[in-house]
Amino acid sequence: MFNQPKQKSTATHTWQVWAMYMVLAVGLSEEQALKQACPSCDATQSCNCSSMGLDFIPSGLTDKITVLDLARNRIKHIRAHDLQQAVNVRTLLLQSNKISSIDEDSFVSLGKLELLDLSNNSLAHLSPGWFEPLFSLQHLHIHGNCYSDLGESSPFSSLRNLSSLHLGNPRFSTIRQGNFEGITLLNQLWIEGSNLSLYEPGSLKSIKKINHMIISIRRVDLFSAIVRDLLHSAIWLEIREIALDIENEKLVQNSTLPLMIQKMTFTRASFSDKYASQIMVLLKEITSLREVEAIDCVLEGKGNWNTTAIKRSGLGSVETVSVTNMTILHFYLFFDLEGLESQISKLKRLSIASSKVFMVPCRLARNFSSLLYLDFHDNLLVNNRLSETICKGAWPSLQTLNLSKNSLKSLNQTAKYITNLPKLNNLDISQNNFGEIPDVCEWPANLKYLNLSSTQIPKLTACIPSTLEVLDISANNLKEFNLHLPFLKELYLAKNQLKALPDAAGIPNLVAMSIRRNKLNSFSKEELESFKKMELLDASANNFICSCEFLSFIQHQAGIGQVLVGWPESYICDSPLSVRGVQVGAVQLSLMECHRSLVVSLICAVVFLVILILVAIGYKYHAVWYMRMTWAWLQAKRKPKRAPPKDICYDAFVSYSENDSNWVENVMVQELEQACPPFRLCLHKRDFVPGKWIVDNIIDSIEKSHKTLFVLSEHFVQSEWCKYELDFSHFRLFDENNDAAILILLEPIQSQAIPKRFCKLRKIMNTKTYLEWPHEEEQQEIFWENLKAALKS
């Protein structure tokens, strides 16, 4: 009885745990499903699920996501709970699906959404309930669906922060009053209404200001009504795809409101002669209009315009006219616009590009009295027609002229006609095929800017005016630049063949230079600093040789990144091969590569020092003597070991010091050679063969002698041994027969006093009996007897 409440409490707790587990499990399974459907959504703020063949919005979206891209899938339906958790999404891309239905509460949690793209789907109607929660929405794209109208009221009434709106489709046919209620300010409004058939006047008046209004419209009867509604709100009105051919009716009605339209653009429009005249008259009514632009339009007439009606309507307010890619169907039958002279006097800017213009009549050109800017690029102007187009008195106020991409061939003739423009300071004649240029040309005195890029110029001459402040000669075939342009501030040399920076002496006031994509290998600190006023240098996309000097300068120059345009990503090493493709700023060369001469000098100095030390050690320890003795020993080894008995010529070869020659020659020789029988002695002074190498003489004499007498004394063992060759014989003598040696001591010497290099001689003195020369006369007889006996043995 008392345990029942406890059992209930336990059961309730178990159920709560189980419920939490199920919720977590479902959440985890949804997140897992999202990861499988869109792997890029895993733990990121941007979720890209585009082009993945999805049939529905994947579950598991979280509040971490700020960008959700579901474009180019097969989604047909957006359910109320699909986006419920994506509360922080700011960009939602759903374009190019098959969406045909959206639940009313599908976007209720997207209060932070700023961009919604539902374009190119299958929506047959628009519901205000979809957009009502989107109070932060700034950009809405709903074009390319299949709705025919916007409904009876405004679907955008709650979008107070809307900045750009793109709507319409090929089936869009009706715009009603109230469709744009709630929108007061738009940066851009784009309506694709090529099949628009009903426009209720005043429908666009609720929008107080539109910076750029684009509308595709074909029905001319709707054009006037739309323009009237936009006169007081749109600043730039762009009309697309209209075939303009309307009756005479006013665009501007009586109104106290100020006109807002400043620019009107006709894109892919078609004009007839009749409407060309009429539109000129009608546009004059818009006194705020300053610019008229025609892009990719077609002129079906021959220029037979109603100039009388145009003159009668007075002068317009338009200052800028731009025509790009105008197609004139009857081009070669087109009139020369005679009669429009009075309508062009206030024009300040005229651009006629890509429209096959080959000439402007001089009479017409002289009436552009206020024109400051003239652009004729990408046309068919040639030199022999420039005399008409730029005749004397033509374009009297012109300051900027663009004749690029025409068919001009002679720079000399072009410059000659350009001198008819006294106020010209900016000239673009690029992309003409001039080739060789003359040595001298005439130019307007005030010319400051000249563009000669892509004109096939191989070499520069004094034809280039010295008054220039800006010169562009990019994309030619230049190999050097040595002009004197004292006022030049900007120089563009890209895509040429230059191998070094220009000489700064000729361009002392240069501030900016581009020499990208040339054959520049390097530049030094001195070259860069020679440009005293240089602030910007674009030397990117060259094949740099990353030498130690170049790297040392460019990597340690303070503020180099502020001077070099594109630094460091556009400065790449081409050589050495080991660093090819590496950014110049990231290369580190070794000490050997950077200081080769210093390293080689150090190595040579070390080698020389080692050799010097070895020489000193060798001198101290008689290394030369040992080497020479070794050589003599090797020479002796190559000879026969002992001469045949018939070749023995002497009883003894006498080895002695020059200091002991008196005793040897006057005492010993007299005693032995006058004995009976006499002994034949070999003395180097007397018996060596003249001209024969002394070592060979010594070895031959020893081999031809029965014995060898060594007359030892202090002079013999302690002198500098000036006759080393006499001692070379020791090797063979001691190697073959130690008994052939007879030692005579003229004075007492210790074997330890003999230099260590005569190790065998010391050994013999320690092991062999030698004869000592006695100073007492009575003992000298015994000495001679013993010596003679030794010689006979």
Side-chain angles (χ1 to χ4, degrees):
M1 191 73 181
F2 292 101
N3 292 333
Q4 189 174 356
K6 186 176 180 180
Q7 291 175 355
K8 279 187 176 182
S9 176
T10 303
T12 302
H13 180 70
T14 302
W15 171 251
Q16 290 175 345
V17 171
W18 176 253
M20 291 177 62
Y21 172 77
M22 291 300 294
V23 169
L24 289 173
V26 170
L28 290 173
S29 63
E30 287 183 351
E31 289 188 11
Q32 188 65 29
L34 178 63
K35 291 180 182 179
Q36 292 177 354
C38 302
S40 66
C41 291
D42 186 20
T44 62
Q45 293 182 338
S46 180
C47 183
N48 185 1
C49 302
S50 64
S51 305
M52 301 190 71
L54 300 177
D55 295 316
F56 51 85
I57 297 177
S59 59
L61 298 175
T62 68
D63 57 2
K64 296 179 181 179
I65 299 172
T66 58
V67 177
L68 177 58
D69 188 352
L70 292 163
R72 294 176 294 281
N73 283 293
R74 298 193 297 263
I75 300 171
K76 296 180 180 180
H77 180 60
I78 301 178
R79 297 165 296 183
H81 65 274
D82 283 343
L83 300 166
Q84 190 174 4
Q85 301 300 321
V87 294
N88 289 314
V89 167
R90 286 173 169 77
T91 300
L92 177 58
L93 306 178
L94 289 163
Q95 71 269 27
S96 302
N97 278 280
K98 298 181 179 180
I99 300 171
S100 59
S101 62
I102 302 174
D103 290 352
E104 284 294 312
D105 297 332
S106 295
F107 303 142
V108 71
S109 62
L110 305 184
K112 296 181 180 180
L113 191 66
E114 297 174 355
L115 187 155
L116 174 60
D117 193 341
L118 289 166
S119 62
N120 300 315
N121 279 286
S122 303
L123 296 171
H125 73 281
L126 300 176
S127 171
W130 300 343
F131 309 116
E132 187 173 351
L134 306 179
F135 47 83
S136 298
L137 196 66
Q138 299 177 22
H139 309 283
L140 176 60
H141 305 291
I142 52 175
H143 59 281
N145 284 276
C146 54
Y147 50 85
S148 59
D149 57 34
L150 300 176
E152 297 296 330
S153 61
S154 172
F156 319 113
S157 58
S158 62
L159 304 178
R160 302 297 180 180
N161 293 309
L162 198 63
S163 174
S164 66
L165 174 61
H166 191 174
L167 58 88
N169 59 78
R171 296 185 183 183
F172 187 58
S173 60
T174 303
I175 296 179
R176 297 185 179 90
Q177 287 191 10
N179 281 163
F180 297 97
E181 288 293 335
I183 302 177
T184 58
L185 174 63
L186 282 177
N187 185 56
Q188 185 182 82
L189 174 58
W190 189 339
I191 301 176
E192 295 183 5
S194 57
N195 291 315
L196 193 67
S197 59
L198 175 61
Y199 176 82
E200 294 184 1
S203 298
L204 288 168
K205 275 191 174 181
S206 62
I207 307 177
K208 302 305 179 184
K209 184 178 180 182
I210 307 172
N211 288 327
H212 187 189
M213 171 72 189
I214 305 171
I215 183 167
S216 302
I217 185 172
R218 293 178 182 172
R219 291 278 297 270
V220 177
D221 56 339
L222 304 179
F223 171 74
S224 298
I226 292 174
V227 172
R228 290 190 193 102
D229 283 353
L230 295 172
L231 284 173
H232 308 290
S233 59
I235 295 176
W236 177 9
L237 175 59
E238 183 174 350
I239 310 295
R240 297 187 175 185
E241 300 178 1
I242 192 169
L244 292 171
D245 191 357
I246 64 174
E247 297 298 325
N248 186 8
E249 57 178 308
K250 288 186 176 294
L251 291 176
V252 180
Q253 297 175 335
N254 294 330
S255 174
T256 58
L257 294 174
L259 300 177
M260 296 288 288
I261 291 184
Q262 298 178 16
K263 178 178 180 180
M264 185 173 287
T265 299
F266 297 95
T267 302
R268 297 189 297 277
S270 177
F271 299 86
S272 64
D273 273 347
K274 181 180 179 180
Y275 188 72
S277 304
Q278 186 62 30
I279 195 65
M280 287 185 185
V281 175
L282 294 176
L283 292 181
K284 288 180 184 180
E285 299 175 5
I286 309 174
T287 55
S288 62
L289 191 64
R290 295 292 181 267
E291 182 175 353
V292 176
E293 185 177 34
I295 302 173
D296 298 330
C297 294
V298 177
L299 187 57
E300 297 177 349
K302 302 177 183 178
N304 186 16
W305 297 344
N306 189 349
T307 56
T308 302
I310 295 173
K311 286 181 182 179
R312 191 166 53 246
S313 63
L315 296 176
S317 58
V318 174
E319 297 178 349
T320 301
V321 174
S322 300
V323 178
T324 303
N325 197 27
M326 173 71 79
T327 300
I328 303 175
L329 297 182
H330 305 286
F331 177 70
Y332 292 104
L333 299 175
F334 198 76
F335 288 18
D336 64 359
L337 303 180
E338 182 181 358
L340 290 180
E341 291 85 356
S342 63
Q343 303 300 307
I344 59 178
S345 60
K346 289 189 175 181
L347 272 181
K348 293 183 178 179
R349 297 174 63 89
L350 175 62
S351 175
I352 305 178
S354 306
S355 300
K356 298 182 180 178
V357 174
F358 62 90
M359 184 192 72
V360 178
C362 180
R363 181 185 66 257
L364 184 64
R366 285 172 176 167
N367 285 277
F368 285 93
S369 56
S370 300
L371 200 71
L372 303 175
Y373 176 92
L374 178 60
D375 184 355
F376 277 149
H377 84 270
D378 192 17
N379 281 291
L380 301 175
L381 294 171
V382 293
N383 284 108
N384 57 7
R385 292 284 186 175
L386 282 183
S387 59
E388 184 77 10
T389 304
I390 313 179
C391 61
K392 285 189 178 295
W395 326 99
S397 302
L398 195 65
Q399 296 178 5
T400 301
L401 175 61
N402 186 349
L403 298 178
S404 64
K405 205 175 181 181
N406 276 274
S407 299
L408 304 175
K409 303 291 184 182
S410 171
L411 184 60
N412 191 26
Q413 290 184 19
T414 302
K416 176 183 176 182
Y417 295 120
I418 294 297
T419 56
N420 292 328
L421 306 172
K423 295 185 178 180
L424 192 72
N425 57 44
N426 189 324
L427 176 62
D428 187 347
I429 47 178
S430 61
Q431 300 186 70
N432 287 285
N433 191 7
F434 292 124
E436 297 287 342
I437 63 175
D439 293 333
V440 180
C441 300
E442 296 182 21
W443 297 97
N446 296 319
L447 194 63
K448 305 297 182 185
Y449 174 94
L450 178 61
N451 189 342
L452 279 167
S453 62
S454 301
T455 51
Q456 308 300 315
I457 295 175
K459 184 179 180 181
L460 296 176
T461 67
C463 175
I464 306 300
S466 60
T467 58
L468 293 179
E469 294 182 2
V470 179
L471 174 61
D472 188 346
I473 44 176
S474 303
N476 285 292
N477 195 30
L478 303 177
K479 296 182 179 179
E480 59 181 10
F481 183 93
N482 51 11
L483 297 179
H484 181 65
L485 302 173
F487 306 106
L488 197 68
K489 295 180 180 179
E490 297 179 27
L491 177 60
Y492 300 91
L493 292 163
K495 300 180 183 179
N496 280 288
Q497 306 292 321
L498 276 73
K499 296 181 179 179
L501 295 179
D503 185 5
I507 42 179
N509 291 302
L510 198 67
V511 175
M513 176 168 60
S514 173
I515 194 171
R516 66 186 306 271
R517 294 185 65 180
N518 275 263
K519 292 188 175 180
L520 192 66
N521 292 327
S522 66
F523 51 89
S524 65
K525 180 180 180 180
E526 291 72 20
E527 287 178 304
L528 191 59
E529 291 181 346
S530 63
F531 295 94
K532 303 296 183 182
K533 299 182 179 181
M534 179 77 76
E535 296 178 3
L536 293 175
L537 172 63
D538 186 355
S540 60
N542 280 285
N543 296 327
F544 289 105
I545 297 176
C546 290
S547 64
C548 299
E549 295 78 11
F550 178 59
L551 291 176
S552 177
F553 149 61
I554 205 167
Q555 290 178 358
H556 299 93
Q557 182 74 12
I560 193 71
Q562 298 175 357
V563 176
L564 293 183
V565 178
W567 175 266
E569 62 275 1
S570 298
Y571 293 78
I572 306 298
C573 293
D574 182 65
S575 64
L577 191 60
S578 58
V579 295
R580 176 174 291 178
V582 181
Q583 290 183 7
V584 172
V587 173
Q588 298 293 335
L589 295 180
S590 66
L591 180 66
M592 182 62 183
E593 291 172 307
C594 283
H595 304 283
R596 189 182 302 274
S597 58
L598 177 60
V599 171
V600 171
S601 299
L602 288 175
I603 292 175
C604 292
V606 170
V607 171
F608 177 77
L609 184 61
V610 169
I611 293 174
L612 194 64
I613 292 172
L614 291 176
V615 169
I617 293 173
Y619 178 79
K620 180 176 181 180
Y621 294 99
H622 306 282
V624 175
W625 187 90
Y626 282 111
M627 290 171 63
R628 298 184 71 179
M629 287 288 287
T630 302
W631 174 249
W633 176 77
L634 292 173
Q635 290 290 99
K637 283 290 186 181
R638 294 191 311 182
K639 291 180 174 290
K641 290 196 173 183
R642 177 59 64 183
K646 61 183 179 65
D647 292 334
I648 300 298
C649 303
Y650 304 101
D651 292 302
F653 170 75
V654 182
S655 176
Y656 60 95
S657 171
E658 279 295 318
N659 292 318
D660 299 323
S661 59
N662 182 53
W663 184 85
V664 171
E665 295 169 3
N666 297 325
V667 178
M668 186 182 73
V669 171
Q670 293 296 329
E671 180 67 28
L672 295 179
E673 287 188 347
Q674 293 179 7
C676 186
F679 293 92
R680 294 194 60 194
L681 302 179
C682 180
L683 303 178
H684 64 271
K685 284 185 178 181
R686 183 183 64 188
D687 300 310
F688 278 7
V689 178
K692 194 174 184 180
W693 190 33
I694 190 170
V695 174
D696 288 336
N697 266 316
I698 294 170
I699 294 173
D700 288 344
S701 298
I702 292 174
E703 290 177 345
K704 292 179 180 180
S705 301
H706 184 63
K707 299 284 185 178
T708 299
L709 281 175
F710 287 95
V711 180
L712 303 180
S713 66
E714 290 290 338
H715 299 297
F716 189 91
V717 298
Q718 292 182 1
S719 70
E720 290 299 323
W721 306 69
C722 57
K723 294 186 178 298
Y724 285 118
E725 295 85 351
L726 182 64
D727 304 311
F728 293 159
S729 61
H730 296 177
F731 284 108
R732 181 159 186 169
L733 173 68
F734 298 148
D735 281 346
E736 294 178 358
N737 185 7
N738 286 337
D739 294 334
I742 300 173
L743 304 183
I744 298 175
L745 262 66
L746 285 184
E747 56 189 4
I749 58 174
Q750 300 296 323
S751 61
Q752 291 79 6
I754 301 174
K756 292 182 179 179
R757 57 182 178 275
F758 292 101
C759 54
K760 289 204 172 186
L761 180 61
R762 296 176 64 188
K763 182 179 178 181
I764 292 173
M765 289 188 68
N766 291 329
T767 58
K768 187 177 178 68
T769 302
Y770 47 83
L771 299 175
E772 291 188 39
W773 171 250
H775 293 284
E776 298 81 4
E777 291 185 6
E778 59 274 11
Q779 294 183 0
Q780 290 177 359
E781 286 297 328
I782 300 172
F783 170 82
W784 292 121
E785 290 299 329
N786 291 335
L787 178 57
K788 292 175 183 178
L791 289 174
K792 292 179 181 179
S793 62

